[in-house]
Amino acid sequence: MKIVILDGYTLNPGDLSWEKLKKYGELTIYDRTEYENGKIIEAIGNAEIIFTNKTPLPKEVLDKVPSLKYIGVLATGYNVVDVDAAKELGIVVTNVPSYGTTAVAQMTMALLLEMCHHVGDHNRAVKKGEWSKSKDFCFWNYPLIELDGKTMGIIGFGRIGQASAKLAQAFGMNILTSGSRKKPELESNTCKQVDMDELLAKSDVISLHCPLTPETEGIINTSNISKMKDGAMIVNTSRGQLIVEQDLKEALDNGKLAGAALDVVSKEPIDRDNPLLKASNCIITPHIAWAPKESRNRLLNTALENLEAFIKGNPINVVNN
């Protein structure tokens, strides 16, 4: 079989190995594949199996690659593939669920702790000589925040939301959750399920872990921000489109919200005119929550398991049944 990886660099910039894939067929690896001018059609060629992370595979591409039998998405989200068109053409599409739960939950707390302590800013201040010039034995440039006893509102209480809740509880935080499905078995003295308005009103920190759907798109907007506590903070490690970015900027600039820490934005890579680049008290990282080596290695191993199961005739993690 001919196997093509369309955009392998993000998953494996050189610290992992594609070697195990070679036993399944003739392997071609592209660090990146351009979509325009038919280059994606050329890259796929007559491959039976392809892997993609973020390279789009709409119907007009799938219609032009008749040899294709299998698409392995090297991610959990699979919106880059027209799964309905793939199903019509008899192409199996799989994804990789749950590989990044621990990593994303850890990043959630890293972003929150950075808002609380501004470690990076204080490190830069020390190295610029500000501590050396201080008349006191210490100084700080930002308010410092203790998490114990505060409330984290988690919108989206799946695997990552639950993992983030456990870490937050270890810091002494109480948890409020809101979602479409009630999970009473997860409630405790420090974790309660409430409606959205109560979550917004009572949370000191709101952390987003829900998928992007028509119902959740733009859920952080002027209306919902007005229901939040003055001085609340927002963390987003899910999808950038959950936030109306201009509304968030205004709330940060006028002091309604004390801070935001975001690993995702509405368009990635971020546009230079994204309003959040000029917002007050806004930390932005370049979509790296999923990317520790351990997490990427789990992703690759599951992708291999998906392919082997497909070849054996019992595909798993299929998203277009």
Side-chain angles (χ1 to χ4, degrees), residues 6-263:
L6 293 174
D7 50 2
Y9 184 85
T10 301
L11 171 60
N12 179 17
D15 55 353
L16 302 177
S17 174
W18 298 113
E19 195 65 29
K20 291 180 181 179
L21 263 177
K22 294 180 180 178
K23 74 176 184 178
Y24 298 108
E26 179 186 334
L27 178 63
T28 301
I29 303 167
Y30 297 98
D31 283 346
R32 302 165 189 86
T33 296
E34 292 184 28
Y35 177 81
E36 292 78 11
N37 303 319
K39 291 186 178 180
I40 189 170
I41 306 295
E42 182 181 338
I44 295 171
N46 61 349
E48 293 101 333
I49 292 166
I50 62 173
F51 288 91
T52 183
N53 190 322
K54 293 294 182 288
T55 303
L57 292 167
K59 185 179 190 301
E60 55 265 31
V61 169
L62 299 180
D63 283 338
K64 295 177 182 177
V65 285
S67 62
L68 191 59
K69 303 299 179 188
Y70 176 88
I71 299 170
V73 180
L74 299 171
T76 301
Y78 49 88
N79 57 302
V80 295
V81 181
D82 187 332
V83 292
D84 293 330
K87 184 176 181 178
E88 290 176 8
L89 294 166
I91 302 168
V92 172
V93 182
T94 66
N95 74 335
V96 182
S98 306
Y99 72 91
T101 299
T102 301
V104 177
Q106 178 177 303
M107 183 65 167
T108 297
M109 296 309 297
L111 290 169
L112 177 56
L113 290 169
E114 183 65 17
M115 283 195 290
C116 291
H117 295 286
H118 295 274
V119 173
D121 290 307
H122 285 107
N123 171 60
R124 283 186 288 272
V126 169
K127 292 179 178 178
K128 285 169 59 179
E130 293 183 33
W131 193 16
S132 301
K133 298 173 185 176
S134 175
K135 295 179 180 180
D136 304 300
F137 77 96
C138 70
F139 78 98
W140 53 90
N141 290 334
Y142 296 87
L144 304 177
I145 300 169
E146 185 176 276
L147 292 175
D148 185 57
K150 290 186 169 57
T151 297
M152 174 182 280
I154 298 180
I155 300 176
F157 207 49
R159 292 185 182 94
I160 296 174
Q162 292 171 42
S164 299
K166 289 180 180 178
L167 295 180
Q169 287 168 311
F171 281 91
M173 300 188 77
N174 298 304
I175 306 297
L176 297 177
T177 75
S178 182
S180 57
R181 289 180 293 176
K182 295 294 183 182
K183 299 176 181 177
E185 71 278 7
L186 298 177
E187 289 198 288
S188 68
N189 290 335
T190 59
C191 181
K192 303 294 182 184
Q193 296 180 85
V194 297
D195 63 33
M196 181 62 70
D197 283 353
E198 184 175 350
L199 182 149
L200 295 172
K202 293 184 177 180
S203 297
D204 300 291
V205 179
I206 292 175
S207 191
L208 302 177
H209 298 288
C210 54
L212 179 64
T213 66
E215 292 73 30
T216 61
E217 184 172 5
I219 195 170
I220 302 301
N221 53 46
T222 296
S223 176
N224 279 338
I225 290 171
S226 71
K227 300 173 185 177
M228 298 178 192
K229 278 186 176 183
D230 291 346
M233 297 181 288
I234 291 177
V235 179
N236 188 10
T237 54
S238 185
R239 290 292 181 266
Q241 297 91 332
L242 299 174
I243 294 175
V244 180
E245 291 171 336
Q246 183 61 40
D247 292 359
L248 177 57
K249 179 185 187 303
E250 291 172 3
L252 291 167
D253 288 348
N254 66 30
K256 168 64 178 177
L257 298 179
L262 318 169
D263 188 50

